Amino acid sequence: MNQKRLLTIQDISCVGQCSLTVALPILSAMGIETAILPSAVLSTHTGGFKNFTFRDLTDDLPGIKNHWKEQGIRFGAFYTGYVGSARQLDYILDIVNETGTEGAKLIVDPVMGDHGRLYVGFDNCFVERMKQFCAKADVILPNITECAFMLGEEYRQTGHTMEYVEHVIEGLRKIGAKNIVMTGVEMNDREQGVAVYNDETGKISTYFREKVPGVYHGTGDIYSSVFSGAYFLGKSLEESARIAVDFTVSAIKTTEGDNAHWYGVRFEKVLGELTYLAKE
């Protein structure tokens, strides 16, 4: 069977333009055969919706893994997003170890919170388990909130100097992280972007674009999906980070100023910007 496929493991939020409903179309537009493994099923995402339903799929993971092994199904890379429970992290590592091809990469978006707060359903015990999980990854993609929780430090919304960036990256390296892409970095009130630590070179680079006012749900999932696809296609860590920033900004601009579309961004309108990657 074809071994050049990527498995993404995260929830299905049925409405809300995030998680698997973002990852699958983005990766497909990039020409990547994409398999999915839902960690949970929610009626909507948890940002702003009330009384959403949640079904944890933890107990389904071992059986799915065993079936894949029986069928000889293998994956060339793994990309994880929202994980429904701490117990799932051990199952996911089993899946990576038992179904990955030689040299398969594990890319982890440690989805836990944003804007200085943990998402509903997460606590400090989950943060500790996620730290251990991140130490097993080839690349991690935490936002500033997730960095703060993993380091046990106060959240800093803006004013992220290079000294601060270096401090955070050093802290993440101490917990075992290798290649690091910090998202949501703001060194002034006009720009937002990423700081990238390359474990091979030992260097930190940054990339910024204009900051679009407002709060846009699902943009972290958009960013991580584009990054994972570009990296899987052989782009460098730094180039993958830049491609993902540029696409995320384009996606946000499709919805800028539309207060009726508060729950996500219309990324579908700019998917064509990614199709060149499928032809390279």
Side-chain angles (χ1 to χ4, degrees):
M1 298 182 70
N2 173 26
Q3 307 294 296
K4 288 291 290 181
R5 65 168 63 86
L6 180 150
L7 172 64
T8 181
I9 306 170
Q10 49 190 305
D11 73 289
I12 296 176
S13 289
C14 299
V15 173
Q17 292 171 302
C18 67
S19 56
L20 282 179
T21 62
V22 162
L24 183 55
I26 283 176
L27 292 164
S28 297
M30 299 170 82
I32 298 169
E33 180 183 340
T34 306
I36 65 168
L37 180 55
S39 59
V41 178
L42 293 82
S43 53
T44 66
H45 63 63
T46 63
F49 289 104
K50 297 180 179 179
N51 303 319
F52 54 85
T53 67
F54 177 92
R55 181 173 294 277
D56 183 357
L57 299 180
T58 299
D59 292 335
D60 293 278
L61 301 191
I64 292 171
K65 178 202 70 176
N66 290 337
H67 182 240
W68 286 342
K69 289 179 66 179
E70 290 171 1
Q71 298 300 310
I73 296 171
R74 307 273 282 178
F75 305 99
F78 302 87
Y79 150 44
T80 70
Y82 180 101
V83 174
S85 69
R87 190 158 58 97
Q88 286 188 0
L89 298 175
D90 291 331
Y91 288 154
I92 291 171
L93 285 176
D94 287 342
I95 291 168
V96 171
N97 292 331
E98 297 180 34
T99 67
T101 60
E102 184 177 356
K105 302 295 185 183
L106 172 59
I107 303 165
V108 172
D109 180 359
V111 178
M112 295 183 288
D114 206 355
H115 306 296
R117 300 184 299 274
L118 291 174
Y119 293 137
V120 174
F122 293 129
D123 56 21
N124 288 330
C125 291
F126 184 86
V127 173
E128 289 302 311
R129 292 292 301 276
M130 182 58 76
K131 284 167 60 176
Q132 298 168 17
F133 187 64
C134 284
K136 305 290 186 180
D138 295 284
V139 184
I140 64 170
L141 305 151
N143 62 31
I144 295 295
T145 294
E146 290 150 357
C147 290
F149 273 100
M150 285 195 284
L151 298 184
E153 297 183 353
E154 185 177 350
Y155 166 67
R156 187 182 299 185
Q157 182 174 355
T158 188
H160 307 135
T161 62
M162 276 306 300
E163 181 180 12
Y164 173 74
V165 167
E166 291 168 357
H167 165 74
V168 172
I169 286 175
E170 181 60 26
L172 294 173
R173 290 184 63 212
K174 286 180 178 177
I175 68 173
K178 302 174 184 67
N179 297 293
I180 302 163
V181 181
M182 292 171 54
T183 63
V185 177
E186 296 184 19
M187 293 188 173
N188 56 60
D189 59 4
R190 302 180 305 278
E191 297 178 311
Q192 189 176 66
V194 297
V196 180
Y197 174 77
N198 189 314
D199 188 53
E200 185 175 337
T201 65
K203 294 181 179 180
I204 299 172
S205 61
T206 57
Y207 182 69
F208 296 95
R209 286 286 305 274
E210 69 276 19
K211 183 179 179 181
V212 183
V215 175
Y216 300 92
H217 294 289
T219 52
D221 298 334
I222 290 171
Y223 182 87
S224 297
S225 298
V226 177
F227 174 90
S228 298
Y231 195 63
F232 181 65
L233 291 172
K235 301 297 183 183
S236 70
L237 195 73
E238 293 80 5
E239 188 175 5
S240 300
R242 291 193 297 270
I243 291 169
V245 168
D246 289 340
F247 182 82
T248 303
V249 172
S250 292
I252 290 172
K253 287 183 175 180
T254 66
T255 320
E256 182 182 6
D258 185 352
N259 294 330
H261 206 87
W262 57 268
Y263 53 85
V265 297
R266 295 191 177 97
F267 72 95
E268 300 92 344
K269 292 183 177 293
V270 289
L271 275 177
E273 294 184 11
L274 298 173
T275 56
Y276 79 94
L277 291 164
K279 301 171 184 176
E280 292 186 350

